[in-house]
Amino acid sequence: MDRRIFLKNVGIAGAAAGLSGLVPGIVNAKNYGARNDLLIKRQGKVVYHSCLRNCADRCLLKFYVQNGRMTYVEGAAEQPKTGSCPCVKGLTYVQYTYSPDRILHPMERVGVKGSGQWRRISWDEAYSKIATRFKKIIAEDGANAILPYSYSGNYGAIGMYAASERFWNKVNARELDRYVCAYSGTYGVFSALGTSDGPDPEDSIYSDLYISHGWNEAATNVHVLKYINKARDNNCKVIVINPIRTPLASQADLHIQLKPGTDVHFIAAAMKCMVDNNLHDMDFINRHTVDFDAVVEQLKTVSIEKSLQICQVSEEDLLKFIELYSTAKLAHWRLGYGIVRNYTGGRIARAACLLHAVGGHYAKIGNGLTYDNMQAWGGGNHDKIRAKHLRTDHDVEHTNITELAKALDPVNPTSYGKPSQLVKAMLFYNGNPAAMAPEAQKVLEYMQRDDLFVVGFDFNMHDSMDMCDIILPSSTQFETSDIIGSYGFYDVQVCEQVIEPLGESKPNLTFFSGLAKAMGYTDPEFDATSDELIRQFLETDSPFFEGITYDRLMKDKFVKVVDQRPYFGSAKYNTTSGKLEFKSQYMVDKGFHPVLDLGLVEDWMGEKERKLPFRMVSPALIQRMNCEFYNVKYIRNFPAYTVTIHPEDAKEQGIADNDQVRVYNHRGEVFLTAVLSSQVSRGVVLTVKNNLRRFNPNGSKTCTNIITTDRLADLGGCSAYHSTNVAIEKA
Ligand code: SF4
């Protein structure tokens, strides 16, 4: 049977309908001969549903529904953050939902793994086959041999966690540590501030300096740009610290284009410059910090010249930075997830917190450091909705998501450097391991193991689905209800069900509850409805959620969490001392310097990799979200198989613009199209993260993550994708 199952009378019309979302403002064009068939799509029932991509904006969207069909999407203008327009990705949600590639029935593999031969089966058959296999594995090898794999394809409190974790807890399956993002920075920031919560990005309007550090607002926080622009109208200056010239960097007052992973050296040079020239804020330091003496002592050993050489920043840029930074009254530091995906990531995050304290930039609105705001997400009652009490075996292994290849290794499986039990079954959902995990070639090969039972639950075919024994059709987020808190802004928001599930697809909660019943589990937790779980999520003691009730949320569609802002500045830090800590015992325990650790990415590389000429960074593309949106033709047309290289480096390698090139290291190779640009410095190449193999136009089914590192970062077990060295040659 063809893998592409089309929904009769839906897919075809849907592909056209989706385009309507790409024409903002068409309603005002009525008098200019606009097409009535597009205009009419903005009529019908309006449903509010938040975007559940892994994006700091968390837009609240308004869907128009007619005769049970989603016809148009726009931003909910009622919410200032979103305004009337989502990003280029959000605008395609009608196409995304009715994509002709939707999987709409369960299927079973009939050929060898990867051959693409399937037969349609019923849900009852699928449940029975999975339950039978799981029970056999549990009886013979224990539940530790079953690995759930998922990440952020659905970021709803239910879709991401509650639906599946109550099932895995009951099974006592192996635990997956989903530390792709943020964790090294979280631990680094905690070591100084005692929290990773920071100011609302909307407060940027009060700042006279905005520092974007390792963050591409245009890709995953595009709605913050209007707040930055508003501040700039009031003469706010903008500094961007990033190895890549991002769209914001191209308009900034200063772009510090440093070598990836060397940020602590730049920060150390800046700190020394400030302290030596008496530009630090002693009043703030005396009132709110401890152990400043240790900073002074360490700075005696720092050479500005040497530090600038290491991070490849000019003295002129350092002095401009100092001028802007030390004259700012209200400086908002936005620390991004780009820098933390490095072997030095946690240490960089910590260093940024410390410099901001030396500048005295925490105590007022408009000041502060925003990293991973968890008030609106972490404040919900996660323990309850995930039914943690159902787990009876707490001694199962943990597999780090970045180390998937090591976990699936048939000969020498390991976990966190220790021997591990062989994985006998993997069920993946909300993720695409064969494109997303580092060492992606090994992951793909190991997924082909005959003794590994693989089940994929998703709504599109992708690289991992090809390796399945059983494929199950999931619904999109719009075909059920959920609740979500932002990890950037301060809002808790609704996700109302927009349409009924297409074909035989099931929302995550329905699927896992059904599988639980097929396993013979009779716990009432598997009868819970989305509505009950949303209510449970809001039953929390978190002070951030005070006054946020189910009725209020359903009426208003979004509610801001209670502002705890004084906590970040004028009051008390959540550290042992109650103050910002320049010296950290935690860092010492981890083997690092207690103040600023000046270790380098290269220190953690093998000799072979260290000698390769280019550092490769692979951040998000504006038009993609990880492996998602490849099902939308409009989005697929934006190139995702490029490698950007500095023109001088390209010349030395004999590479011209648009050449097909081979980018490689000891892990493997990926074939890409060369783009020559000074968007990157010399010695750095820029690729795209999580591009799918199947759409690579360069003649081979290769993707970026074949060559990215699976070694973990310095803190928190975080991934370190950007600490990858490569060579490049004309293909
Ligand atoms: S991907 Fe981000 S910016 Fe785009 S619609 Fe979703 S939340 Fe908004």
Side-chain angles (χ1 to χ4, degrees):
M1 177 177 287
D2 193 326
R3 287 173 295 161
R4 295 169 139 206
I5 305 298
F6 290 81
L7 180 68
K8 203 177 170 197
N9 297 332
V10 171
I12 298 163
L19 288 169
S20 65
L22 302 173
V23 196
I26 192 91
V27 96
N28 300 323
K30 197 169 184 177
N31 298 331
Y32 302 92
R35 286 171 52 191
N36 282 332
D37 56 331
L38 293 180
L39 295 178
I40 214 160
K41 293 185 189 308
R42 282 196 184 191
Q43 293 177 5
K45 190 172 111 188
V46 173
V47 184
Y48 289 78
H49 197 109
S50 306
C51 175
L52 295 180
R53 305 286 71 76
N54 191 350
C55 173
D57 279 15
R58 198 61 69 219
C59 292
L60 182 63
L61 306 172
K62 259 162 87 170
F63 287 90
Y64 293 78
V65 182
Q66 296 172 44
N67 298 325
R69 187 185 161 77
M70 173 198 292
T71 57
Y72 198 87
V73 59
E74 64 184 1
E78 301 91 312
Q79 187 183 43
K81 165 189 81 167
T82 303
S84 59
C85 197
C87 73
V88 65
K89 301 173 284 273
L91 281 169
T92 68
Y93 271 141
V94 179
Q95 273 180 292
Y96 168 100
T97 303
Y98 296 109
S99 153
D101 287 344
R102 282 279 309 249
I103 304 165
L104 296 167
H105 312 284
M107 287 183 278
E108 181 182 42
R109 175 171 65 84
V110 291
V112 294
K113 268 189 184 172
S115 65
Q117 293 169 274
W118 311 96
R119 78 174 180 98
R120 182 173 168 180
I121 57 174
S122 68
W123 267 105
D124 284 347
E125 232 179 321
Y127 274 144
S128 163
K129 282 173 188 282
I130 299 166
T132 304
R133 190 68 177 259
F134 276 11
K135 283 180 189 169
K136 185 168 183 288
I137 293 169
I138 293 167
E140 291 172 1
D141 304 282
N144 188 51
I146 300 175
L147 176 67
Y149 180 98
S150 68
Y151 193 52
S152 62
N154 178 325
Y155 219 97
I158 300 171
M160 189 177 197
Y161 289 119
S164 51
E165 289 206 4
R166 50 190 49 221
F167 175 76
W168 296 122
N169 283 330
K170 179 70 184 176
V171 170
N172 284 309
R174 185 181 298 206
E175 300 226 44
L176 182 77
D177 293 342
R178 297 187 261 204
Y179 301 157
V180 175
C181 192
Y183 281 84
S184 61
T186 303
Y187 282 84
V189 171
F190 257 82
S191 74
L193 305 177
T195 177
S196 67
D197 293 338
D200 189 337
E202 293 186 27
D203 286 351
S204 297
I205 55 169
Y206 303 111
S207 307
D208 59 4
L209 178 66
Y210 177 83
I211 300 171
S212 166
H213 184 187
W215 189 233
N216 182 359
E217 287 82 355
T220 50
N221 200 190
V222 69
H223 289 82
V224 84
L225 288 171
K226 66 182 167 219
Y227 297 106
I228 299 169
N229 287 338
K230 196 165 178 194
R232 293 184 94 173
D233 288 345
N234 295 324
N235 210 23
C236 172
K237 305 290 183 214
V238 173
I239 298 175
V240 173
I241 307 173
N242 201 314
I244 311 301
R245 193 172 65 239
T246 60
L248 186 64
S250 67
Q251 308 161 26
D253 296 278
L254 176 64
H255 177 200
I256 303 290
Q257 195 169 15
L258 39 56
K259 182 178 174 185
T262 62
D263 310 45
V264 182
H265 287 267
F266 175 72
I267 287 168
M271 214 183 262
K272 185 175 174 71
C273 209
M274 287 178 69
V275 173
D276 286 357
N277 292 286
N278 212 19
L279 296 170
H280 52 307
D281 186 339
M282 249 353 261
D283 179 50
F284 176 85
I285 291 167
N286 286 334
R287 285 193 293 130
H288 295 295
T289 74
V290 289
D291 293 326
F292 184 62
D293 291 354
V295 176
V296 175
E297 214 38 51
Q298 189 187 7
L299 291 180
K300 287 179 190 163
T301 68
V302 169
S303 151
I304 291 180
E305 195 186 352
K306 195 173 158 213
S307 293
L308 291 181
Q309 215 174 35
I310 290 169
C311 59
Q312 296 172 1
V313 173
S314 68
E315 193 183 345
E316 190 190 343
D317 278 354
L318 173 68
L319 293 177
K320 179 95 192 277
F321 177 87
I322 298 296
E323 185 197 331
L324 292 172
Y325 191 60
S326 59
T327 53
K329 290 189 176 62
L330 297 168
H332 187 180
W333 193 301
R334 183 65 202 241
L335 194 62
Y337 304 115
I339 53 147
V340 302
R341 288 187 192 141
N342 265 307
Y343 296 148
T344 50
R347 289 168 282 174
I348 297 172
R350 172 175 167 75
C353 297
L354 300 192
L355 179 59
H356 221 39
V358 169
H361 286 304
Y362 284 102
K364 296 175 189 150
I365 294 175
N367 270 330
L369 182 140
T370 299
Y371 175 54
D372 199 32
N373 280 347
M374 294 305 285
Q375 302 95 316
W377 174 236
N381 196 338
H382 285 269
D383 280 359
K384 187 152 190 185
I385 63 167
R386 297 179 196 187
K388 290 202 167 177
H389 59 279
L390 290 178
R391 183 172 284 275
T392 51
D393 183 356
H394 298 279
D395 289 330
V396 292
E397 288 180 40
H398 284 240
T399 288
N400 187 301
I401 193 166
T402 299
E403 297 187 320
L404 182 65
K406 291 184 169 118
L408 297 182
D409 187 325
V411 181
N412 184 27
T414 57
S415 179
Y416 290 104
K418 293 190 181 135
S420 169
Q421 188 184 358
L422 189 66
V423 177
K424 291 288 186 70
M426 178 165 84
L427 193 164
F428 66 83
Y429 53 100
N430 299 345
N432 177 1
M436 187 187 134
E439 294 275 14
Q441 192 60 29
K442 282 188 187 161
V443 170
L444 195 77
E445 278 168 29
Y446 296 158
M447 284 176 76
Q448 277 181 288
R449 277 170 37 197
D450 283 335
D451 64 337
L452 180 69
F453 179 59
V454 182
V455 179
F457 176 63
D458 211 326
F459 65 92
N460 287 303
M461 287 304 293
H462 52 65
D463 299 337
S464 303
M465 297 297 255
D466 292 339
M467 297 300 142
C468 285
D469 294 284
I470 291 180
I471 283 176
L472 302 169
S474 80
S475 304
T476 66
Q477 64 166 99
F478 309 114
E479 293 152 57
T480 185
S481 50
D482 211 321
I483 184 168
I484 183 66
S486 172
Y487 61 75
F489 293 92
Y490 274 24
D491 308 67
V492 180
Q493 302 177 187
V494 294
C495 299
E496 297 171 339
Q497 182 170 359
V498 183
I499 55 170
E500 290 298 316
L502 296 192
E504 293 181 14
S505 71
K506 290 185 192 290
N508 292 16
L509 183 63
T510 317
F511 161 54
F512 279 104
S513 296
L515 186 55
K517 295 206 165 113
M519 292 286 287
Y521 303 151
T522 54
D523 310 70
E525 283 79 357
F526 299 112
D527 294 320
T529 63
S530 298
D531 201 58
E532 285 162 358
L533 291 172
I534 292 166
R535 288 174 188 275
Q536 285 177 17
F537 185 77
L538 295 172
E539 286 166 19
T540 166
D541 294 336
S542 167
F544 297 114
F545 274 55
E546 210 182 300
I548 304 182
T549 62
Y550 176 88
D551 290 344
R552 183 179 166 203
L553 186 62
M554 292 306 138
K555 182 173 154 284
D556 295 347
K557 315 300 182 193
F558 67 97
V559 181
K560 267 189 184 293
V561 291
V562 178
D563 195 346
Q564 302 285 315
R565 199 159 11 199
Y567 179 75
F568 303 108
S570 56
K572 200 166 165 284
Y573 292 86
N574 195 23
T575 55
T576 319
S577 61
K579 296 192 170 192
L580 189 145
E581 297 184 347
F582 279 116
K583 237 170 107 177
S584 163
Q585 186 55 43
Y586 169 78
M587 294 304 282
V588 174
D589 294 344
K590 292 287 170 192
F592 301 121
H593 192 286
V595 185
L596 297 173
D597 190 279
L598 295 162
L600 293 171
V601 166
E602 288 82 353
D603 300 341
W604 288 33
M605 278 181 180
E607 205 186 330
K608 234 176 164 181
E609 184 165 10
R610 203 179 306 138
K611 286 182 177 158
L612 295 175
F614 296 102
R615 178 70 47 79
M616 182 181 83
V617 289
S618 48
L621 201 64
I622 290 171
Q623 302 86 1
R624 299 282 198 294
M625 181 58 66
N626 298 325
C627 307
E628 299 164 274
F629 293 97
Y630 280 84
N631 60 330
V632 179
K633 197 175 164 199
Y634 167 79
I635 295 275
R636 217 161 50 224
N637 285 339
F638 291 99
Y641 299 90
T642 56
V643 55
T644 305
I645 179 169
H646 193 279
E648 294 298 319
D649 284 335
K651 201 170 159 192
E652 278 179 17
Q653 306 292 319
I655 293 168
D657 216 11
N658 266 324
D659 272 353
Q660 275 193 16
V661 293
R662 173 176 172 256
V663 186
Y664 63 97
N665 58 22
H666 61 290
R667 298 182 190 94
E669 59 186 10
V670 53
F671 290 88
L672 301 168
T673 304
V675 174
L676 275 52
S677 168
S678 61
Q679 190 188 5
V680 292
S681 305
R682 295 206 63 179
V684 178
V685 292
L686 166 71
T687 54
V688 175
K689 74 169 172 179
N690 300 338
N691 39 21
L692 301 194
R693 295 156 185 270
R694 62 206 303 115
F695 296 120
N696 191 332
N698 290 291
S700 72
K701 289 189 173 178
T702 55
C703 64
T704 301
N705 281 329
I706 288 174
I707 54 176
T708 49
T709 177
D710 67 349
R711 182 166 183 173
L712 305 179
D714 51 0
L715 299 178
C718 192
S719 71
Y721 290 88
H722 301 320
S723 290
T724 295
N725 273 6
V726 298
I728 177 167
E729 64 185 21
K730 202 168 161 176

